[in-house]
């Protein structure tokens, strides 16, 4: 039976909840079973960039990452929705150069850098944004590496291209579902649909990958290790993924996705978390993932880095505190 979205986050002004964000969230255990759910665990969703670890799996499992000598920073970047800061742009440019390629080989499209300093400097210098500034350029560098390894054609984002067929196979393997279809993501690659439980199950699969010896599991373990080792490459300074991974009491890999998606991989617990805010609000997705991880004991609610997403203040243009964002009643009560 389909269940309605569950109230997950409230936005308060003074004593009133002025807005409420609803959605769905699922925690799966090491066996892939649902441990806890809010809303509709079977909701069919597009995980958007939260699926980047899955899309990077063929890069490692195929042997392409080793064949081209990729390091952990590059593997983290393959899973990233990065800030387009110099640390990311320089790394992607160096990666492309190592393949004998340049910006023109990418198919993600040009995007203005999200790094304020670089963005303003480029405006002052009259420079136009390139594809390497796109938040998905690390994933696409991974696609190009796999593509070179496979010896396939240049249009690697086409749904029937060997690179994307490998991504679909990986997606259906780790979610343990047959995808009902796909949408084209902002970076032009197919984004495969599945249930929210399937995504939580996939994250639990990643969380337990180190206990298995097949090539795909070994690849998954390496990607998780890379994300945990290099949170600065996964998102960037000021971003929820990076800040919450740094603040965690134990190793955890976090990944946001557009339109209110968020996932978590908890290797020490063998748990996976996936959530979707139905109105697509990022602020609500960040608050919800923080609340779930606080309840699990992975994050400390009193940590200022956590409070920045769990209970952010709202101030008006004069700096007066007018309200705040907080988990809805019941979200923290597992």
């Amino acid at each position: 039976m389909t269940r309605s979205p569950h109230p997950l986050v409230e936005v308060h002004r003074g004593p009133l909840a002025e807005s409420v964000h609803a959605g769905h969230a699922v925690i799966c255990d090491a066996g892939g079973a649902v441990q806890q759910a809010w809303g509709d665990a079977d909701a069919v969703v597009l995980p958007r960039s939260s699926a980047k670890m899955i899309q990077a799996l063929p890069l490692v499992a195929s042997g392409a990452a080793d064949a081209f000598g990729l390091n952990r920073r590059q593997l983290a970047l393959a899973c990233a929705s990065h800030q387009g800061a110099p640390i990311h742009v320089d790394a992607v440019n160096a990666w492309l150069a190592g393949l004998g390629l340049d910006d023109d080989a990418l198919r993600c499209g040009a995007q203005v850098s999200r790094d304020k300093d670089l963005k303003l400097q480029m405006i002052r210098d009259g420079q136009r944004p390139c594809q390497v500034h796109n938040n998905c350029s690390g994933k696409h560098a991974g696609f190009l590496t796999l593509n070179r390894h496979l010896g396939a054609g240049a249009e690697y984002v086409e749904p029937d291209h060997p690179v994307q067929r490998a991504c679909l196979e990986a997606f259906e393997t780790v979610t343990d579902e047959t995808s009902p279809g796909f949408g084209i993501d902002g970076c032009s690659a197919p984004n495969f649909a599945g249930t929210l439980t399937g995504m939580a199950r996939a994250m639990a699969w990643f969380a337990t990958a180190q206990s298995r010896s097949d090539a795909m599991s070994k690849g998954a373990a390496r990607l998780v290790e890379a994300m945990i080792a290099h949170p600065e490459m996964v998102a960037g300074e000021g971003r929820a993924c990076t800040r919450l991974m740094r603040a965690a009491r134990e190793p955890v890999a976090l990944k946001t996705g557009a339109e209110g998606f968020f996932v978590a991989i908890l290797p020490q617990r063998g748990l996976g978390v996936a959530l979707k805010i139905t109105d697509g609000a990022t602020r609500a997705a960040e608050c919800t993932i923080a609340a779930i991880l606080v309840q699990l004991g992975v994050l400390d609610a009193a940590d200022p880095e956590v409070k920045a997403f769990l209970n952010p203040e709202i101030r008006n243009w004069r700096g007066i505190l007018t309200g705040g964002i907080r988990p809805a009643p019941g979200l923290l009560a597992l």
Side-chain angles (χ1 to χ4, degrees):
M1 179 178 68
T2 300
R3 298 181 61 189
S4 299
H6 188 80
L8 295 173
V9 173
E10 295 181 347
V11 183
H12 281 249
R13 184 173 297 272
L16 300 177
E18 186 176 35
S19 300
V20 177
H21 296 288
H24 317 287
V26 179
I27 302 174
C28 278
D29 63 21
V34 174
Q35 185 181 85
Q36 180 74 21
W38 299 260
D40 185 3
D42 296 321
V44 176
V45 295
L46 291 167
R48 303 296 298 273
S49 287
S50 288
K52 282 183 177 174
M53 300 84 75
I54 303 173
Q55 292 171 304
L57 263 179
L59 169 67
V60 188
S62 68
D66 287 336
F68 289 89
L70 301 188
N71 58 39
R72 288 206 298 185
R73 290 179 78 250
Q74 289 171 304
L75 293 183
L77 193 56
C79 303
S81 296
H82 64 70
Q83 195 80 345
I87 188 177
H88 307 118
V89 175
D90 292 347
V92 175
N93 275 325
W95 190 343
L96 294 175
L99 295 171
L101 301 172
D102 59 20
D103 197 81
D104 290 339
L106 296 169
R107 295 293 184 267
C108 52
Q111 180 184 11
V112 174
S113 172
R114 297 182 183 185
D115 181 82
K116 182 179 179 181
D117 291 341
L118 179 58
K119 174 184 175 180
L120 293 178
Q121 187 61 52
M122 291 179 69
I123 292 172
R124 287 192 290 267
D125 294 343
Q127 296 179 352
R128 298 174 64 85
C130 299
Q131 294 189 92
V132 290
H133 298 100
N134 189 302
N135 77 98
C136 297
S137 64
K139 178 179 79 173
H140 282 249
F143 283 160
L144 283 168
T145 305
L146 175 60
N147 193 42
R148 177 66 62 82
H149 188 68
L150 297 175
E155 301 306 318
Y156 62 85
V157 295
E158 293 298 323
D160 62 350
H161 190 280
V163 167
Q164 299 308 325
R165 290 203 302 267
C167 289
L168 174 58
E169 181 181 358
F171 184 84
E172 293 186 334
T173 296
V174 301
T175 59
D176 196 26
E177 297 177 346
T178 299
S179 174
F182 63 87
I184 299 300
D185 216 329
C187 69
S188 297
N191 194 247
F192 300 107
T195 69
L196 196 65
T197 293
M199 277 300 292
R201 184 185 299 121
M203 296 306 103
W205 184 92
F206 271 84
T208 57
Q210 73 279 1
S211 66
R212 300 184 298 270
S213 59
D214 61 284
M216 192 172 288
S217 294
K218 287 182 177 180
R222 289 175 63 184
L223 292 171
V224 172
E225 290 169 359
M227 293 176 70
I228 292 170
H230 294 286
E232 76 284 357
M233 303 305 292
V234 175
E237 299 306 319
R239 298 275 301 284
C241 294
T242 297
R243 292 175 69 180
L244 293 178
M245 280 195 280
R246 286 172 174 168
R249 292 166 162 170
E250 63 189 67
V252 58
L254 302 176
K255 187 68 191 68
T256 188
E259 298 299 327
F261 217 94
F262 228 113
V263 296
I265 299 168
L266 284 65
Q268 290 188 359
R269 301 165 187 257
L271 296 178
V273 182
L275 67 91
K276 164 69 178 176
I277 304 299
T278 52
D279 66 6
T282 297
R283 65 182 182 182
E286 292 173 346
C287 178
T288 302
I289 196 67
I292 291 173
L293 294 177
V294 163
Q295 184 61 37
L296 290 171
V298 177
L299 296 176
D300 179 2
D303 187 327
E305 288 294 284
V306 177
K307 290 177 69 176
F309 302 101
L310 181 68
N311 300 119
E313 296 180 343
I314 297 176
R315 295 182 178 271
N316 68 11
W317 293 109
R318 292 180 60 200
I320 298 171
L321 179 64
T322 60
I325 300 172
R326 66 184 69 167
L331 176 58
L332 285 175
L334 293 175

